[in-house]
Amino acid sequence: VVHIQCETTVQSVFYDDFFSFLLPPQSRERSYQTSGSGVIISEDGYVITNNHVVQDAETINVVLNDKRSFVARLVGNDPSSDLAVIKIEADGLEPLQFGNSDEVKIGEWVLAVGNPFNLTSTVTAGIVSAKARNINILGNKMSNAPIESFIQTDAAVNPGNSGGALFNAQGEVIGINSVKMTDTKVEGMGYAISIDSVKDIIDDLSTQTTRVALDNDERGYIG
């Protein structure tokens, strides 16, 4: 699981002083940084993350657990599923092993791994409390035709966990952490995109520039 740091430049409008409202407003560029998480899916540097982590980024940096940092490029993204594939120029990486989200049971223990609040390599524990949740959050924020099939968990999923891995007790990735709901109905619930949905979308995204194939005998996705 990697740490993703993004930088974006935006134009802001401002007035020089109180009386300058009589004059046309001026604009100024501002840079701001965001962070999230990602999962290595191939030995040669393909990484899956949430689309909302990287969609507006001008620069994307990926930091590995050994502190090496790489500039990444966007390979493909899908707002309707909130997933994106990025690529770093590295070899010999260790992709994570994917599980089968159809086999996930309600009440099963899970671990959420990511980089919340720009802190590296944080692990939280919880149980699966529901499967195939459609909470209409992507319809409100990401797309008019969202694809939602979330695994619901009470493992803490905070800002910066987005794009990180949800593991089962066998150390297999069963979901990609995406959102946290904190309204009065589902206080503190975390949601992960099921890994079976992710597998299909990875193939679709990868064909935008290159193909990433599933290796059922080994682990994860390989280039």
Side-chain angles (χ1 to χ4, degrees):
V1 178
V2 301
H3 192 185
I4 298 176
Q5 299 170 325
C6 299
E7 185 169 330
T8 304
T9 302
V10 296
Q11 293 282 345
S12 59
V13 176
F14 71 99
Y15 295 92
D16 279 335
D17 53 47
F18 180 78
F19 296 102
S20 63
F21 67 88
L22 298 174
L23 302 174
Q26 302 181 52
S27 63
R28 176 184 299 161
E29 286 190 348
R30 286 187 55 199
S31 294
Y32 67 94
Q33 296 181 336
T34 59
S35 68
S37 305
V39 172
I40 296 172
I41 59 175
S42 76
E43 294 180 355
D44 59 345
Y46 285 91
V47 175
I48 187 78
T49 185
N50 283 149
N51 178 60
H52 74 261
V53 172
V54 298
Q55 64 178 348
D56 296 323
E58 293 181 2
T59 60
I60 305 170
N61 290 300
V62 173
V63 182
L64 307 184
N65 282 333
D66 61 9
K67 307 303 181 183
R68 286 185 294 163
S69 179
F70 298 86
V71 176
R73 62 180 174 86
L74 181 64
V75 172
N77 63 314
D78 179 23
S80 68
S81 63
D82 193 24
L83 288 172
V85 173
I86 60 176
K87 176 71 166 61
I88 62 175
E89 297 306 317
D91 294 312
L93 303 179
E94 297 186 18
L96 293 173
Q97 182 176 353
F98 287 174
N100 185 340
S101 51
D102 285 342
E103 297 177 355
V104 174
K105 306 297 183 183
I106 305 299
E108 179 178 339
W109 280 97
V110 290
L111 297 174
V113 178
N115 305 277
F117 306 112
N118 215 25
L119 301 172
T120 58
S121 302
T122 298
V123 182
T124 57
I127 62 168
V128 174
S129 52
K131 294 173 59 178
R133 282 290 199 212
N134 185 327
I135 55 177
N136 198 35
I137 192 166
L138 299 185
N140 293 335
K141 296 183 178 181
M142 303 293 178
S143 169
N144 292 325
I147 301 171
E148 293 190 4
S149 182
F150 288 116
I151 298 172
Q152 178 180 295
T153 174
D154 63 355
V157 177
N158 291 300
N161 272 116
S162 294
L166 186 69
F167 290 94
N168 62 18
Q170 289 71 48
E172 299 169 329
V173 181
I174 58 171
I176 299 297
N177 297 319
S178 184
V179 295
K180 178 184 180 181
M181 296 290 288
T182 55
D183 62 26
T184 56
K185 295 181 180 179
V186 282
E187 180 69 30
M189 290 291 100
Y191 292 88
I193 304 167
S194 65
I195 203 63
D196 289 347
S197 298
V198 172
K199 291 175 184 177
D200 293 336
I201 294 165
I202 286 175
D203 283 338
D204 292 339
L205 293 180
S206 300
T207 56
Q208 294 182 28
T209 57
T210 189
R211 189 70 179 177
V212 178
L214 175 63
D215 183 351
N216 292 314
D217 297 326
E218 295 292 335
R219 51 184 168 176
Y221 275 68
I222 60 173

